[in-house]
Amino acid sequence: MAQKRKRCSLSVAEKRNIINYVDQNPMTKKLDIANKFGIPASTLATILKFKDKFSEESGLDVNSKRLKSCEFKDVEECVLKWLKQCRDKKIPIGGPILQEKAQRFAVELGHEGFRASNGWLQNFKKRNEVVFRKICGESGSVNEQVCDDWKDKLAELTTGYDPEDIFNADETGLFYKCLPDKTLSFKSDKCNGGKNSKLRLTVLLGTNCTGTYKLKPLIIGKYQKPRCFKNVNNLPTDYTSNHKAWMTSDAFCNWLKSLDKEMKKKNKKILMFIDNCTAHGEIPNLKNIKIKYLPPNTTSKLQPLDQGIIQSFKMHYRKEVVRRFLADVERQTPTTIDVLQAMWMIAKAWNLVTEKTIANCFKKSGFKVTCEDEEDDLPLAELARTWQRVQEELHLQDTDFEDFVTFDNDLAICGELTDADIVTSVLPVTNAEADEDEEEEGEIDEHNFTIKDAYNALNTIKSVFLKKGGLSDDVVKSITKLDCALDVITHTGGKQTTINDFFSNQ
């Protein structure tokens, strides 16, 4: 008779260790992995089936051996967001204050049966790995000497990292659909809520020292699923949303975790410089990214993206807006820009920021980068002609293109959420709210385009370049990539093929 296996309970940490081992050894048989960890194959299968529940994002106590669900999860989410916000602002919070705040959130959410007892507090701390420590103050002002000392330290901080592995990331606010004639009115209007807040996005940009690796932009909008996303399965940039269209601690942590996984796949270790805004206060556990904070209140001189990279990006974006406006004038149609169209223009504008511009901005911030003297990204003559046409169409007086580019430079990208904002963020989102969008959004494109339509359009593009000129090597490569991408969609439905696909029965 076979010996009965002794029943054992694995902690969350042990289950994570097993999941990581499976991910790192995809070719190893599951039975061999089960024997290695001394567990039944059925237990391993169960762990892998529900591995998302044991991820670091789940917030489970690493020593817990049972999945204990929180009875009032929405209350706990509110308290945790409020606590993170206080911690980012260096506000000391004790247990009694936390209990009182939890009780208030429970009232707002309509939970009459909730009691913020000492037992609840202990379980909250255990589930979210919260500890109370003394907070040390920090200076709120810096001077030129701080900037000079930082630049002297950069060589030491970046030791062991190739310039291509040194990154900077920062956010910027963007009134994405504003036309030149709306610029002056928006300059004097705050964007704390109402109509203007619906017209804004927050854009997170990141790049390395040499400009050879520009990270995919992250767009933060006001709505979870704008109407223009209908029937769309893929987006040109990453997208997330919240009530304020701000960068939040949760959004930034999720972005870092995703980037860390990307670097792990590429087997790259990178050094990331960021500022110390409130949304950057909490950094998750990262394996392939090392975070360094810039000194407080020095980003205008020490942050590479603030030395001209974001300015160049916005110049290219506004140029696209202007070109779209002039094209619509010729077609005698009104100009409308929805979030999806803005994402395409953001992706294009970010791609047009040159490596030379990026390298020069890092150099200006004190980084050791070999680069040539800075040059304009855009031919000034072309820009002047385009802007002159806009001024004529809109009868603009004494308004230059730089004003149009920079009018939203001071737009807030993060801030303090009110209690009402926090409660709203944890409530279930209805379909009406998720699909809500501004009235000026325009009509949804309901055309059911086929692969044949796409091939015809690509052939038209080829013909235009062949007859009109401009068929450079880069253009040929781009068209070829589009052609290959269409082939993939045609034959595999957009899924990546494997070696087994070539031998499968048709």
Side-chain angles (χ1 to χ4, degrees):
M1 183 176 179
Q3 184 178 359
K4 187 175 181 180
R5 188 188 296 266
K6 183 180 178 181
R7 181 182 178 85
C8 64
S9 297
L10 299 174
S11 67
V12 171
E14 290 171 326
K15 291 174 181 176
R16 287 178 183 173
N17 186 34
I18 293 172
I19 293 169
N20 290 334
Y21 184 85
V22 173
D23 291 340
Q24 295 170 7
N25 300 273
M27 304 304 294
T28 305
K29 293 181 179 180
K30 298 298 187 291
L31 182 59
D32 293 339
I33 296 176
N35 292 334
K36 174 180 174 62
F37 288 95
I39 59 175
S42 58
T43 301
L44 175 61
T46 302
I47 293 173
L48 296 179
K49 181 179 180 180
F50 300 104
K51 66 178 183 179
D52 290 341
K53 292 186 177 181
F54 306 110
S55 65
E56 295 179 358
E57 293 84 352
S58 64
L60 293 173
D61 179 8
V62 294
N63 297 316
S64 175
K65 294 188 176 183
R66 293 185 180 180
L67 291 179
K68 301 175 182 178
S69 59
C70 177
E71 183 178 359
F72 300 97
K73 190 174 181 180
D74 50 356
V75 174
E76 186 155 319
E77 287 182 21
C78 286
V79 174
L80 195 58
K81 288 186 177 184
W82 179 81
L83 178 60
K84 288 180 180 178
Q85 188 167 270
C86 292
R87 187 164 55 191
D88 291 339
K89 296 173 64 179
K90 302 293 188 294
I91 298 176
I93 300 296
I97 297 177
L98 205 63
Q99 288 171 283
E100 176 64 23
K101 200 66 182 180
Q103 198 67 55
R104 291 186 182 183
F105 279 130
V107 172
E108 290 288 335
L109 293 166
H111 296 308
E112 297 180 358
F114 176 82
R115 294 291 179 270
S117 62
N118 290 333
W120 172 87
L121 178 62
Q122 293 302 320
N123 290 329
F124 171 83
K125 290 163 59 180
K126 183 181 294 186
R127 280 191 294 267
N128 298 285
E129 299 182 8
V130 172
V131 293
F132 296 128
R133 297 191 181 99
K134 183 178 179 180
I135 298 177
C136 300
E138 65 176 1
S139 174
S141 61
V142 295
N143 53 33
E144 293 291 335
Q145 187 61 46
V146 172
C147 295
D148 294 337
D149 292 343
W150 172 262
K151 291 180 179 180
D152 292 338
K153 287 172 54 180
L154 271 179
E156 179 182 347
L157 292 173
T158 57
T159 300
Y161 288 91
D162 188 271
E164 294 195 353
D165 296 330
I166 300 173
F167 285 73
N168 176 223
D170 192 28
E171 302 90 354
T172 184
L174 183 69
F175 280 131
Y176 66 95
K177 62 162 54 183
C178 288
L179 298 174
D181 60 335
K182 301 295 183 183
T183 300
L184 297 180
S185 64
F186 278 119
K187 275 188 176 182
S188 60
D189 295 342
K190 292 184 178 180
C191 183
N192 295 328
K195 185 177 181 63
N196 286 2
S197 67
K198 295 180 180 181
L199 306 178
R200 64 155 294 162
L201 297 170
T202 295
V203 183
L204 173 63
L205 302 173
T207 180
N208 65 353
C209 275
T210 59
T212 55
Y213 196 151
K214 286 184 280 191
L215 303 177
K216 192 175 184 180
L218 171 65
I219 312 301
I220 306 172
K222 184 178 175 67
Y223 302 108
Q224 180 179 335
K225 191 177 180 181
R227 288 201 303 264
C228 56
F229 286 6
K230 184 178 180 181
N231 299 326
V232 174
N233 296 320
N234 298 285
L235 296 172
T237 68
D238 293 331
Y239 181 83
T240 187
S241 63
N242 58 64
H243 187 62
K244 296 282 190 177
W246 278 348
M247 174 59 77
T248 62
S249 296
D250 288 342
F252 190 67
C253 283
N254 291 335
W255 179 78
L256 281 177
K257 291 174 183 177
S258 177
L259 181 60
D260 192 50
K261 291 180 180 178
E262 180 183 334
M263 293 301 146
K264 184 178 179 181
K265 290 180 180 178
K266 296 178 180 294
N267 196 27
K268 288 175 68 71
K269 298 278 188 178
I270 68 171
L271 178 63
M272 175 75 74
F273 287 90
I274 59 175
D275 60 33
N276 58 350
C277 78
T278 55
H280 300 168
E282 184 176 355
I283 302 299
N285 183 28
L286 305 171
K287 296 180 180 179
N288 289 63
I289 303 176
K290 184 177 182 180
I291 298 294
K292 285 290 183 183
Y293 285 105
L294 297 167
N297 307 322
T298 61
T299 55
S300 61
K301 293 189 175 181
L302 298 182
Q303 177 135 256
L305 270 88
D306 286 342
Q307 304 310 306
I309 297 174
I310 289 178
Q311 182 83 354
S312 177
F313 158 75
K314 285 196 172 183
M315 182 177 291
H316 285 293
Y317 182 86
R318 303 294 182 206
K319 180 191 69 175
E320 292 301 313
V321 172
V322 167
R323 285 180 172 176
R324 184 184 183 91
F325 169 75
L326 292 176
D328 288 336
V329 167
E330 293 176 356
R331 291 193 293 263
Q332 297 184 346
T333 58
T335 300
T336 59
I337 302 173
D338 59 33
V339 176
L340 184 58
Q341 293 165 343
M343 292 171 76
W344 278 110
M345 290 194 288
I346 287 170
K348 181 179 179 180
W350 183 227
N351 185 58
L352 289 173
V353 178
T354 64
E355 295 178 9
K356 186 179 296 185
T357 295
I358 292 172
N360 275 293
C361 290
F362 270 88
K363 183 179 180 181
K364 189 176 180 181
S365 300
F367 290 82
K368 301 297 182 183
V369 185
T370 303
C371 57
E372 302 176 12
D373 293 335
E374 185 174 2
E375 294 182 358
D376 292 312
D377 284 345
L378 300 175
L380 294 180
E382 174 198 350
L383 192 56
R385 287 194 299 270
T386 305
W387 186 246
Q388 184 178 359
R389 288 186 59 195
V390 173
Q391 288 180 308
E392 292 172 355
E393 291 290 343
L394 297 176
H395 308 290
L396 298 177
Q397 301 294 329
D398 301 325
T399 304
D400 57 29
F401 187 71
E402 185 176 354
D403 288 336
F404 179 48
V405 170
T406 61
F407 79 99
D408 56 5
N409 277 5
D410 296 327
L411 193 59
I413 51 89
C414 65
E416 182 178 356
L417 298 175
T418 64
D419 288 357
D421 293 331
I422 293 174
V423 171
T424 300
S425 69
V426 304
L427 292 175
V429 180
T430 64
N431 291 333
E433 292 172 332
D435 295 337
E436 184 182 3
D437 212 344
E438 54 268 37
E439 294 178 359
E440 298 87 350
E441 193 69 76
E443 297 181 359
I444 305 300
D445 188 358
E446 298 288 356
H447 292 96
N448 186 21
F449 291 109
T450 64
I451 296 296
K452 183 179 179 180
D453 294 328
Y455 276 116
N456 291 336
L458 187 59
N459 288 331
T460 301
I461 292 174
K462 293 176 183 177
S463 298
V464 169
F465 277 103
L466 288 171
K467 295 177 181 179
K468 301 294 184 180
L471 192 64
S472 64
D473 291 342
D474 289 339
V475 172
V476 172
K477 289 179 181 178
S478 298
I479 293 176
T480 303
K481 286 182 178 179
L482 282 175
D483 209 340
C484 292
L486 284 175
D487 290 340
V488 171
I489 296 175
T490 302
H491 299 296
T492 67
K495 298 179 180 179
Q496 186 174 359
T497 57
T498 63
I499 189 81
N500 295 329
D501 295 328
F502 292 97
F503 300 100
S504 60
N505 294 325
Q506 300 298 326

